Amino acid sequence: SSILVGGGTGFVGTTLCNALRSKGYGVTIISRMPGPHRVSWCDIQTKGLPKNTKAVVNLAGQNVMDFTRRWTAGFKQNVYSSRVNTTKSLASIIDEANEKPTAFVTISGVGCYKPDKQKEYTEESVCGEFDFFSKLCKDWEEAAHLSDLSNRYCRVVTIRSGVVLGREGGMIKQLHLPFYLGLGGPVGNGEQYMPWIHIEDLTNIIIHAIETPNVEGILNGVAPKPCTNMEFSKAFGNAMRRPALLPLPSFVLNMLLNKERAVMITEGQKVIPKRTISTGFNYKYGDIQSACRALVGGN
Ligand code: NDP
């Protein structure tokens, strides 16, 4: 059987597709660029789901932390529609399909929880609409809703992901050089939480969601042991055998990235993966020290 992966060419998508192939699944990627085992968003809309699609996953999204792109109205529109519209179009393709897949797995962010130094958020916590990212997450999650008929056959699982830590992309790729040069350190006073997950755990949660009957609804895609930005900086600095003492003031990030976008780094929320654990998922990287050692070292 085969898995259809929107955005399968990306940082998370590449790791997921490799893991799926090594488990014996066929993988078809939906991409804006043509290539082998790929289809375009347009193809999928006109031709519908490929035959024998066991599950549909959507990981597409214009990279928010692409610092070469200014935070303009146009860029924000791309950030929004590359997530919400792709998810909506996959939901309607599933609704139209005669043979339904067994699972539809989508991503959302912990940005739906309001940054707070004390509050502990689980999947049951209420999400607000208090800024750009929280509104994006709400619409992104709603875009995944299926018709009642599809719901009878296809489980919808939405993973609210924290910062994804992996060598080949995302935050670690951007921080590698400054930390290597001994210029790493916390952001602001470092007291803000930094919800994180190792890339292998995130892709394993996606596979767990595809393969486990009864897993449905929201899962927090974060490690079981939350850490603060300061704890992360120390762990990453230690793993790289570098000091990580130079703080990066929040106002600098606000100035360079735009305050609306910088909040992802300058503020944070304490998120617990309560449902993820209760569905029987076993993490490989539970604490930030072991994750950082694995990201830097050989294992
Ligand atoms: P990437 O930045 O690697 O992008 C994923 C894919 O999205 C790309 O390979 C690209 O596929 C597609 N894409 C990019 N821009 C557009 C666009 N304008 N329209 C349509 N498709 C587009 O993302 P990640 O792998 O890092 O993340 C995957 C998902 O997880 C994203 O939705 C992201 O928001 C979410 N997430 C990621 C986190 C992280 O720390 N990385 C944290 C929380 C959530 P192609 O070029 O082949 O079309």
Side-chain angles (χ1 to χ4, degrees), residues 110-176:
V110 291
C112 65
Y113 304 120
K114 193 165 188 165
D116 197 298
K117 280 184 185 148
Q118 267 100 44
K119 256 196 202 146
E120 237 180 57
Y121 293 105
T122 70
E123 292 86 346
E124 288 131 37
S125 307
V126 185
C127 293
E129 282 178 80
F130 48 87
D131 67 356
F132 173 78
F133 290 113
S134 56
K135 286 180 199 144
L136 167 62
C137 289
K138 181 168 180 281
D139 293 353
W140 198 4
E141 293 183 7
E142 273 175 20
H145 289 179
L146 300 178
S147 69
D148 291 345
L149 175 68
S150 302
N151 264 326
R152 269 193 249 159
Y153 304 96
C154 180
R155 296 174 287 110
V156 180
V157 184
T158 297
I159 301 165
R160 291 182 179 149
S161 177
V163 180
V164 184
L165 306 185
R167 283 186 213 215
E168 314 297 330
M171 198 179 80
I172 293 297
K173 200 174 171 193
Q174 294 191 343
L175 290 183
H176 200 272

Side-chain angles (χ1 to χ4, degrees), residues 73-111:
F75 183 67
K76 281 163 66 176
Q77 185 56 45
N78 273 345
V79 165
Y80 182 92
S81 54
S82 59
R83 291 171 171 75
V84 178
N85 296 357
T86 54
T87 303
K88 254 188 208 155
S89 90
L90 288 174
S92 62
I93 290 156
I94 295 173
D95 281 345
E96 283 156 23
N98 292 326
E99 269 179 67
K100 309 284 184 201
T102 58
F104 180 31
V105 184
T106 69
I107 288 274
S108 168
V110 291

